[in-house]
């Protein structure tokens, strides 16, 4: 009862704000489960042909009807609710409100009635749900060249939400009901239905995506035969995002579901799950709008590394392969994820990636962007990572000491200077002898740099002279040498 009251309050508040409504009722989209709405669609067309503008007005409430007649009346109300109204114009307000009250009534009925979902009723339930939720989504209005979404912008909200919210609430009650036998319901919640449900995740309304996330998660848990198909369908959707569209509104919600699914994987992790990690999850790092779902993606990566530490090198190598070259905010996100994965990496796996990883870390140390340099130096605040570094210091100290010395002399940011000196102090205390050797090698290589620069300048001058002689054009300037 509390659930119905809360839904009524929410719907009452939102219906006051929502003044849209489509003039005429429109039939449900043609497809899969919606095609099973035959009886409901026929009834709706018959009512309209007979001139009855409000199909909900002639029916008594379920509470008033005799107990023996309630199942039949419940079925009639389901069929009537398959009628879809257009909320983009302000007409048929009375009919829309009648449908809203009827939807609230059937939600209350299924909450308070046992054994209300038999096989015949399931067909009408799926037909009604399909008629209302399966629709063509409006085009997404986003700037494809924007590196980050503007989180301050209000997302466009679905005009038909006063009806859709209750339909989703009803469908959720249906999915979790103990009266629903998955062996029977799977005939109606089939592959076509699931594909259409996944398509709705591209809705711009976050309220709808939140309901979809909960419903899909419940379906995955209850309908065992659909589990493999759902994982593959999500994977195929990610392929489309990675290689075709580059934008999608529901990536974060889908990754949140996957994070929970990954947490339940049995050990050892199956080959198909490792393929999903390698082929679809790791490549998501290159999507332009990574910031909108990175938290959920990083959680999936951490779940894989925690479930099977042997997968940590695959994750780290994939991250290094897709490392951003010019996008510093994205680089900070990558560094956050690297720290999280390193905390779950065992020493034998760390050795496999240490050289490649710390060459990238040394470049980040010397980054002119202070947030990148600051974030990478914070790695030395993590005791477990410091322990991994010290255990392999013969390999890692020579890689990072030179970058730290250059930072201490050349970096413009005072905070980065202070962090650099702290890290140098930690390395010195960990192994003074090795630190002195690395420092000496750095001084030797630094002393040779002027001679190397002069030699490089002479070679460029020769090439420039040959270029001018052959083309008659002035040669370009010598490019600046980057580290």
């Amino acid at each position: 009862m509390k659930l119905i009251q809360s839904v009524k309050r929410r719907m009452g508040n939102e219906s006051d704000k929502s003044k849209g409504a489509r003039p005429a009722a429109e039939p449900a989209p043609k497809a899969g489960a919606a095609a099973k709405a035959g009886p409901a669609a026929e009834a709706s067309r018959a009512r309209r042909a007979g001139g009855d503008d409000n199909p909900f007005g002639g029916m008594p409430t379920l509470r008033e009807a005799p107990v023996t007649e309630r199942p039949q009346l419940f079925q009639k109300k389901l069929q009537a609710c398959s009628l879809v109204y257009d909320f983009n114009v302000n007409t048929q307000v009375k009919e829309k409100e009648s449908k809203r009250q009827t939807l609230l009534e059937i939600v209350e009925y299924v909450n308070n009635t046992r054994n209300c979902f038999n096989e015949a009723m399931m067909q009408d339930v799926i037909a009604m749900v399909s008629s209302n939720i399966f629709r063509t989504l409006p085009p997404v209005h986003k700037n494809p060249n924007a590196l980050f979404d503007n989180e301050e912008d209000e997302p466009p909200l679905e005009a038909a939400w006063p009806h859709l919210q209750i339909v989703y609430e009803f469908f959720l009650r249906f999915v979790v009901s103990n009266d629903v036998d998955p062996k029977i319901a799977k005939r109606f919640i089939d592959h076509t239905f699931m594909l259409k449900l996944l398509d709705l995740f591209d809705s711009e309304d976050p309220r709808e995506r939140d309901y979809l996330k909960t419903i899909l998660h419940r379906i995955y848990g209850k309908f065992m035969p659909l589990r493999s198909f759902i994982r593959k369908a999500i994977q195929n959707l990610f392929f489309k995002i990675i290689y075709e569209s580059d934008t999608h509104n529901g990536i974060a919600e889908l990754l949140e579901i996957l994070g929970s699914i990954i947490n339940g994987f049995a050990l050892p992790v199956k080959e198909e799950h490792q393929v999903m990690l390698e082929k679809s999850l790791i490549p998501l790092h290159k999507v332009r709008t990574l910031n909108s779902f990175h938290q959920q993606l990083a959680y999936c990566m951490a779940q894989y590394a925690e479930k099977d530490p042997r997968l940590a090198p695959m994750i780290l190598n994939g991250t290094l392969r897709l490392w951003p070259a010019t996008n510093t905010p994205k680089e900070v996100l990558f560094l956050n994820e690297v720290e999280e994965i390193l905390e779950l990496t065992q020493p034998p796996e760390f050795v496999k990636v240490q050289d490649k990883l710390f060459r990238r870390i040394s470049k980040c140390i010397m980054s002119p962007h202070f947030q990148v340099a600051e974030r990478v130096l914070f790695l030395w605040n993590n005791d477990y990572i410091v322990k991994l570094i010290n255990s392999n210091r013969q390999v890692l100290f020579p890689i990072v000491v030179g970058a730290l010395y250059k930072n201490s002399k050349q970096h413009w940011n005072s905070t980065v200077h202070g962090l650099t000196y702290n890290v140098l102090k930690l390395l010195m205390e960990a192994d003074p002898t090795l630190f002195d050797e690395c420092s000496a090698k750095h001084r030797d290589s630094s002393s040779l740099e002027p001679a190397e620069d002069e030699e490089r300048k002479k070679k460029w001058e020769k090439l420039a002279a040959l270029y001018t002689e052959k083309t008659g054009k002035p040669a370009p300037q010598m490019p600046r040498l980057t580290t």
Side-chain angles (χ1 to χ4, degrees), residues 26 304 314 321 336 368 397 413 446 453 458:
E26 57 185 21
Y304 266 107
M314 179 196 295
R321 186 176 68 251
N336 292 336
F397 276 24
N413 186 272
S446 298
D453 290 343
K458 289 179 180 179

Side-chain angles (χ1 to χ4, degrees), residues 464-479:
L466 289 172
Y467 176 84
T468 303
E469 182 181 341
K470 288 187 176 182
T471 63
K473 299 177 182 178
Q477 293 183 349
M478 183 176 69

Side-chain angles (χ1 to χ4, degrees), residues 227-470:
R227 289 188 174 185
S228 178
F229 178 80
I230 291 173
R231 291 196 302 268
K232 289 178 181 177
I234 293 175
Q235 187 175 359
N236 289 335
L237 181 58
F238 286 163
F239 286 152
K240 183 177 179 181
I241 295 165
I242 294 164
Y243 300 110
E244 295 180 16
S245 65
D246 204 41
T247 57
H248 193 279
N249 291 311
I251 305 177
E253 286 80 8
L254 290 170
L255 286 172
E256 199 170 329
I257 296 170
L258 273 182
S260 179
I261 293 173
I262 294 165
N263 189 39
F265 283 167
L267 291 175
V269 177
K270 293 181 181 179
E271 180 69 22
E272 64 170 300
H273 303 326
Q274 297 184 34
V275 170
M276 181 172 68
L277 169 65
E278 182 180 8
K279 301 296 185 183
S280 62
L281 292 181
I282 291 177
L284 278 175
H285 286 85
K286 72 177 185 178
V287 174
R288 193 190 307 270
T289 55
L290 175 67
N291 73 302
S292 65
F293 59 85
H294 181 262
Q295 181 180 354
Q296 292 82 4
L297 180 59
Y299 178 75
C300 290
M301 299 293 104
Q303 286 295 303
Y304 266 107
E306 187 174 6
K307 184 66 68 171
D308 188 351
R310 293 173 297 178
L311 296 175
M314 179 196 295
I315 297 170
L316 290 171
N317 281 323
T319 305
L320 293 170
R321 186 176 68 251
L322 300 171
W323 200 273
T326 58
N327 188 343
T328 49
K330 194 173 180 180
E331 200 167 4
V332 173
L333 294 179
F334 274 52
L335 288 169
N336 292 336
E337 185 175 341
V338 163
E339 179 174 6
E340 192 172 352
I341 299 302
L342 284 177
E343 288 178 341
L344 301 168
T345 304
Q346 299 299 317
E349 277 69 41
F350 177 75
V351 172
K352 298 175 184 177
V353 295
Q354 61 181 6
D355 186 79
K356 186 177 180 180
L357 174 62
F358 272 78
R359 292 192 185 282
R360 169 56 63 183
I361 286 177
S362 69
K363 291 181 179 179
C364 292
I365 289 173
M366 294 184 291
S367 171
H369 197 287
F370 78 97
Q371 288 181 333
V372 175
E374 185 178 75
R375 182 64 189 85
V376 74
L377 290 168
F378 279 145
L379 291 176
W380 272 267
N381 290 342
N382 190 305
D383 293 338
Y384 182 73
I385 295 176
V386 170
K387 184 178 178 181
L388 288 175
I389 295 171
N390 291 341
S391 300
N392 300 275
R393 56 183 177 272
Q394 297 294 336
V395 176
L396 301 181
F397 276 24
I399 297 175
V400 299
V401 164
L404 290 167
Y405 269 121
K406 288 182 179 179
N407 238 23
S408 65
K409 295 178 181 178
Q410 299 176 6
H411 206 283
W412 61 271
N413 186 272
S414 58
T415 304
V416 173
H417 267 277
L419 292 170
T420 300
Y421 284 119
N422 290 338
V423 173
L424 284 170
K425 183 180 178 182
L426 287 174
L427 300 185
M428 188 185 306
E429 292 173 351
D431 192 334
T433 304
L434 178 59
F435 182 82
D436 291 341
E437 292 176 4
C438 295
S439 301
K441 288 181 181 178
H442 171 69
R443 286 194 295 271
D444 292 342
S445 63
S446 298
S447 64
L448 296 175
E449 284 181 3
E452 291 174 353
D453 290 343
E454 186 64 28
E455 182 67 21
R456 179 169 170 269
K457 186 177 179 181
K458 289 179 180 179
K459 288 181 180 179
W460 183 264
E461 289 174 351
K462 289 181 182 179
L463 290 172
L466 289 172
Y467 176 84
T468 303
E469 182 181 341
K470 288 187 176 182

Side-chain angles (χ1 to χ4, degrees), residues 71 109-110 112-118 121 177-180:
Y109 176 75
V110 300
N112 299 326
T113 308
R114 296 181 62 85
N115 303 319
C116 58
F117 295 119
N118 54 39
M121 203 70 73
S177 173
N178 293 328
D179 300 338
V180 176

